[in-house]
Amino acid sequence: MKLNVDALRYMSKDDFRVLTSVEMGMRNHEIVPAELVDRIAGLKHGGTYKVLKNLLKHKLVHHDSSKYDGFRLTYLGYDFLAIKALVNRGVFASVGRQIGVGKESDIFEVATEDGTILAMKLHRLGRTSFRAVKSKRDYLLHRNSYNWLYLSRLAALKEFAFMKALEEHGFPVPNAVDCNRHCVIMSLVQGYPLVQVKQLQNPDNVFETIIGLVIRLAEHGLIHCDFNEFNIMIDDNEEVTMIDFPQMVSVSHRNAEMYFDRDVECIFKFFRKRFNLSYREDTDEHDGSDSDLEDNGRPSFSSIAKSTGHLDKDLAASGFTKKDQHDIEKFIDGGIDEDENTSDDEVSTDTNCPRDEGYGDVDGHLESLHMSHQSVDLEPTVSCNDNDKVENL
Ligand code: ADP
Ligand code: MG
């Protein structure tokens, strides 16, 4: 999605006040009546209505009169609120080019005051192509708390908490810098998604490293659930970094073994196809004494899960609650409830279907840049706070 932050520079305190009021109204309204926005914002002399017009012009809110007359935030409006909050906090100072686009996110470069480039991931849960949406939409529509703002924020919060915990336990992940609303700021990974890599000096080493990561994750109590060539970055030294964590589950999840096997299978399949490697798939090599491997050479979930750490439990204590996990699992196919009616193509439970398939760029070029390399300085003149309290604006 195009992210033009030009308008951000010209936004006044009142603009942000009204935008934040729309956000607050959306906590319990799908569409927020203008009178309510006005009441929350508390601007004098009908100021809210004038500002709403301006926000509408810049596509930060959307006017909706389908059910009743009112406004809702657009992705861009929500982006502005998050970006402003992070800029005010001094996390970064300018937004640059887009470096990635997924089904559920847009990734941009941002620069700090001293010129360090970081990655900004804007979560877009509820984007229409999202696979699980279809089956869940009706259900979700009736629950105000499940709108895309909430889900995207939850995804960001989860990703941030997991990235931080994984980093602390020595996993090769980006450095988790900060998080606000649906936005995660992390270090920029040098290198490319594995899907773009045509040749490796040491495919065996890379393969072993990657499978080792799936195993080590499980030993720490976690399963990535979307572990594939789109979410593994590799640099010129063939060092591996894993990314993309909103769908991770605990090894105690009822479908844990299936997710684990699926992650493993994706890697086996990719390396077999791309690098023509066959890994100890010959069952004759196994006499059954190697308890960590299945007969087909795959790591065995049941023997690994025995020796689990409890990163999954630590994470539950880190502010990302059980309810959060439950809510997000309702939406992400990594944790779709099988008892619920889901039809054919919505939820993949087979072992060879990376969720990300379809947007990797095999020519080694990242997604085209909507921002045309230019950076825009954002002057932190308005103090938008993190607690969404309009009073503090
Ligand atoms: P999604 O959940 O939408 O799949 P990802 O986290 O996988 O989002 O990011 C999408 C793409 O953006 C990745 O495939 C990668 O090319 C790029 N990307 C994501 N995070 C980073 C990062 N920290 N550094 C560099 N590129 C990144
Ligand atoms: Mg991804």
Side-chain angles (χ1 to χ4, degrees), residues 130-278:
F130 194 51
R131 194 182 293 166
V133 171
K134 223 164 78 191
S135 66
K136 301 295 164 198
R137 192 180 289 137
D138 295 339
Y139 163 72
L140 294 169
L141 257 187
H142 301 295
R143 306 187 53 154
N144 288 321
S145 62
Y146 279 86
N147 63 29
W148 62 264
L149 290 178
Y150 174 70
L151 288 164
S152 299
R153 188 168 61 77
L154 218 50
L157 184 66
K158 179 173 177 184
E159 177 144 61
F160 184 76
F162 277 60
M163 207 180 331
K164 218 171 166 56
L166 291 171
E167 186 185 0
E168 278 160 14
H169 285 78
F171 283 90
V173 297
N175 168 241
V177 177
D178 209 340
C179 170
N180 181 273
R181 295 180 172 82
H182 62 323
C183 176
V184 177
I185 307 294
M186 61 186 125
S187 62
L188 187 74
V189 179
Q190 303 301 327
Y192 311 92
L194 186 57
V195 68
Q196 295 175 7
V197 177
K198 292 283 145 53
Q199 267 181 335
L200 287 171
Q201 297 287 328
N202 290 301
D204 285 285
N205 287 356
V206 176
F207 173 80
E208 292 293 341
T209 303
I210 292 173
I211 289 297
L213 281 174
V214 191
I215 294 171
R216 196 147 69 84
L217 273 178
E219 285 168 352
H220 279 76
L222 293 172
I223 302 167
H224 187 286
C225 286
D226 201 12
F227 202 70
N228 56 54
E229 62 274 25
F230 297 92
N231 291 329
I232 295 165
M233 307 281 286
I234 192 149
D235 70 9
D236 291 340
N237 301 320
E238 307 199 343
E239 298 287 342
V240 166
T241 306
M242 53 180 182
I243 58 169
D244 202 358
F245 312 105
Q247 65 293 314
M248 288 184 84
V249 300
S250 158
V251 288
S252 57
H253 189 283
R254 64 197 175 290
N255 296 327
E257 182 157 12
M258 188 273 283
Y259 295 134
F260 177 86
D261 290 346
R262 187 176 69 179
D263 278 359
V264 167
E265 197 54 39
C266 278
I267 302 304
F268 270 76
K269 191 177 169 195
F270 177 77
F271 274 80
R272 188 169 56 227
K273 267 184 154 171
R274 178 71 56 93
F275 302 109
N276 210 15
L277 301 181
S278 56

